[in-house]
């Protein structure tokens, strides 16, 4: 009788390995709900198969569930092993995980070892990784000064963040991590927003990458971005950071918002989502203003709708037009995004670090 000894590794050790390939053998729906950043999903069970095994486990018996799982897995294992073998390169580490470091990951690691592909099983699986992320964020010390770009909706904050990142300045696009623009219209054209599990993991990864830098540039955000929340450590660092104020005229703001929300996604039919978002403002704007916005939108008066939303909803909510300029380190004209980016770069370089 051949007994395979599965090599096990703790989360804390696995994340420190160089050239690591994480293999997530959970079902696609589990993977989408939360996974280690960069992990490759090679599921042992499909979503439907996982549901069937789970039902049998709860309603019949553990043994029957194991037998069903074995029948599902036996046909998949050869292709899975071959796929993992292709991912494996010399001196790379293969770390396999499932939900709790149980039978799924153990089975795959055992077969990998039998086929001559060195691999490790993640102790306690993704559940342990999720707790690791939460524990680290709870006690995280954000070392860089946070430079917060402030400004009314449409002033180009996100575009500038992305330009800075492309030029290798320390910047985090929080809205990209959340896959949400942080407003009532924030999900339009973007698909599903990030789960809390994935957002936290990606933010932790970015913080670790940049935590020895003198500064990190971010866009001003509330604690909540769509369906996710900034961890207290980072939100506090943002509140204590340096604030830069961007401004531009109303017509430029309207142009940018139409391009961002409509022109960029012209191949998608977002009318229903936009109408739903406008309707969600009834409590704040009242029925009369909301009905007028819907009428103008349905009649194609997009520019009028955007302008009215800025004047009657966004600007009063954020209040930058009436804010005390003494609260900001620098006032920047954002009429030209490239020039505004250069002004911010000059400011960053003058920090003398």
């Amino acid at each position: 009788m051949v007994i395979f000894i599965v090599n096990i590794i703790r989360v804390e050790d696995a994340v420190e390995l160089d050239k690591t390939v994480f293999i997530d053998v959970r079902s696609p729906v589990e993977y989408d709900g939360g996974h280690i950043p960069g992990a490759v999903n090679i599921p042992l069970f499909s979503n439907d198969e996982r549901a069937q095994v789970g039902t049998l486990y709860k309603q019949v018996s553990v043994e029957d569930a194991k037998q069903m799982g074995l029948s599902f897995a036996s046909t998949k294992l050869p292709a899975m092993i071959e796929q993992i073998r292709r991912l494996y390169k010399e001196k790379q580490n293969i770390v396999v995980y499932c939900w709790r470091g149980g039978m799924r990951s153990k089975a795959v690691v055992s077969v990998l070892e039998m086929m001559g592909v060195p691999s490790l099983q993640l102790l306690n699986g993704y559940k342990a990784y999720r707790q690791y992320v939460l524990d680290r964020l709870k006690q995280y010390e954000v070392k860089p000064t946070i430079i917060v770009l402030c400004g009314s909706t449409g002033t180009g904050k996100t575009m500038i963040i992305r330009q800075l990142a492309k030029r290798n300045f320390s910047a985090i696009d929080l809205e990209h991590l959340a896959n949400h623009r942080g407003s009532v219209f924030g999900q339009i054209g973007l698909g599903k927003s990030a789960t809390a599990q994935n957002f936290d993991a990606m933010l932790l990864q970015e913080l670790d990458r940049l935590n020895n830098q003198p500064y990190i540039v971010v866009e001003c955000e509330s604690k909540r971005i769509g369906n996710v929340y900034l961890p207290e450590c980072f939100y506090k660092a943002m509140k204590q950071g340096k604030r830069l104020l961007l401004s531009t005229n109303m017509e430029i703001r309207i142009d940018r918002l139409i391009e961002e929300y409509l022109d960029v996604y012209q191949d998608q039919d977002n009318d229903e989502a936009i109408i739903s978002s406008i309707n969600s403002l009834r409590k704040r704007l009242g029925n009369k203003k909301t009905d007028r916005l819907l009428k103008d939108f349905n009649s194609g008066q997009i520019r009028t709708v955007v302008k009215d939303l800025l004047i009657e909803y966004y600007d009063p909510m954020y209040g930058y037009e009436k804010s005390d300029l003494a609260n900001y380190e620098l006032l920047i004209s954002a009429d030209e995004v490239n020039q505004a980016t250069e002004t911010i770069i000059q400011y960053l370089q003058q920090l003398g670090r």
Side-chain angles (χ1 to χ4, degrees):
M1 180 180 180
V2 178
I3 299 176
F4 292 101
I5 306 299
V6 174
N7 292 319
I8 296 175
I9 188 169
R10 300 184 312 154
V11 169
E12 295 82 358
D13 298 323
V15 296
E16 294 296 327
L17 293 174
D18 291 327
K19 298 181 180 180
T20 304
V21 179
F22 286 98
I23 306 296
D24 188 325
V25 298
R26 297 174 303 156
S27 63
V29 69
E30 291 176 283
Y31 176 85
D32 290 342
H35 57 266
I36 297 174
V40 180
N41 186 212
I42 306 179
L44 194 60
F45 302 144
S46 68
N47 295 334
D48 183 62
E49 289 168 347
R50 171 178 171 266
Q52 290 182 55
V53 171
T55 299
L56 202 63
Y57 183 94
K58 292 178 181 178
Q59 297 183 0
V60 182
S61 72
V62 174
E63 289 305 316
D64 285 342
K66 288 181 178 179
Q67 188 63 41
M68 177 181 281
L70 180 62
S71 67
F72 288 148
S74 60
T75 60
K76 294 188 177 71
L77 277 171
M80 290 180 66
I81 300 308
E82 184 56 33
Q83 188 175 352
I84 295 171
R85 188 195 296 276
R86 289 197 298 268
L87 290 170
Y88 172 76
K89 296 178 182 178
E90 188 178 356
K91 295 184 180 179
Q92 279 196 326
N93 299 287
I94 297 291
V95 179
V96 181
Y97 69 90
C98 55
W99 168 234
R100 289 185 294 188
M103 294 183 62
R104 287 182 287 181
S105 56
K106 184 177 182 179
V108 172
V109 169
S110 296
V111 177
L112 284 170
E113 290 293 325
M114 182 175 65
M115 299 304 294
V117 181
S119 58
L120 300 164
Q121 181 189 20
L122 189 65
L123 180 64
N124 297 323
Y126 178 75
K127 184 177 181 181
Y129 175 78
R130 174 59 176 161
Q131 190 60 54
Y132 162 82
V133 170
L134 291 174
D135 289 345
R136 287 206 57 210
L137 288 176
K138 188 175 182 179
Q139 58 186 4
Y140 203 95
E141 180 187 356
V142 180
K143 297 177 182 177
T145 298
I146 305 300
I147 309 297
V148 184
L149 300 190
C150 305
S152 299
T153 303
T155 50
K157 300 182 293 294
T158 301
M159 291 187 285
I160 292 171
I161 290 288
R162 291 173 182 172
Q163 284 201 14
L164 290 170
K166 284 182 180 179
R167 295 177 62 174
N168 294 320
F169 286 89
S170 300
I172 300 178
D173 185 347
L174 296 171
E175 293 185 355
H176 175 69
L177 296 186
N179 199 37
H180 197 286
R181 301 184 192 88
S183 72
V184 69
F185 295 88
Q187 201 58 47
I188 293 172
L190 298 180
K192 292 182 179 180
S193 60
T195 63
Q197 291 90 331
N198 284 330
F199 176 79
D200 291 345
M202 290 187 292
L203 179 58
L204 177 61
Q205 189 177 65
E206 286 292 276
L207 289 176
D208 281 344
R209 182 175 69 88
L210 299 173
N211 208 34
N212 289 324
Q213 299 300 314
Y215 57 80
I216 298 174
V217 184
V218 300
E219 181 176 344
C220 186
E221 302 284 355
S222 63
K223 188 160 188 178
R224 177 180 174 182
I225 308 175
N227 296 324
V228 302
Y229 291 85
L230 292 172
E232 186 61 34
C233 64
F234 193 69
Y235 188 65
K236 181 179 178 181
M238 286 175 62
K239 289 294 185 183
Q240 296 174 345
K242 298 180 182 295
R243 293 156 59 88
L244 312 183
L245 181 62
L246 306 176
S247 64
T248 188
N249 66 59
M250 178 65 71
E251 296 307 311
I252 290 177
R253 294 168 62 198
I254 294 171
D255 288 340
R256 288 174 180 167
L257 291 169
I258 289 176
E259 180 180 5
E260 180 178 2
Y261 284 87
L262 296 173
D263 293 352
V264 172
Y265 305 105
Q266 57 186 338
D267 294 333
Q268 302 179 30
D269 185 3
N270 294 315
D271 286 5
E272 185 176 342
I274 292 172
I275 289 171
S276 176
S277 295
I278 293 173
N279 267 315
S280 71
L281 297 174
R282 285 189 180 277
K283 187 174 181 180
R284 184 178 182 93
L285 297 181
N287 289 329
K288 185 177 179 179
K289 288 182 179 179
T290 304
D291 289 340
R292 188 192 73 230
L293 288 168
L294 290 171
K295 180 181 178 181
D296 288 343
F297 180 79
N298 288 322
S299 64
Q301 299 182 59
I302 306 302
R303 199 170 190 85
T304 299
V305 172
V306 174
K307 184 174 183 178
D308 287 347
L309 281 169
L310 289 175
I311 293 173
E312 298 178 9
Y313 175 65
Y314 283 107
D315 289 355
M317 179 169 61
Y318 295 121
Y320 286 115
E321 279 69 23
K322 298 180 180 179
S323 61
D324 185 352
L325 301 184
N327 293 328
Y328 301 94
E329 296 282 319
L330 190 65
L331 308 179
I332 304 166
S333 170
D335 292 353
E336 234 307 320
V337 169
N338 291 336
Q339 184 56 53
T341 303
E342 292 299 329
T343 301
I344 292 170
I345 288 174
Q346 292 174 17
Y347 168 80
L348 296 175
Q349 292 172 336
Q350 289 173 2
L351 291 178
R353 301 182 185 178

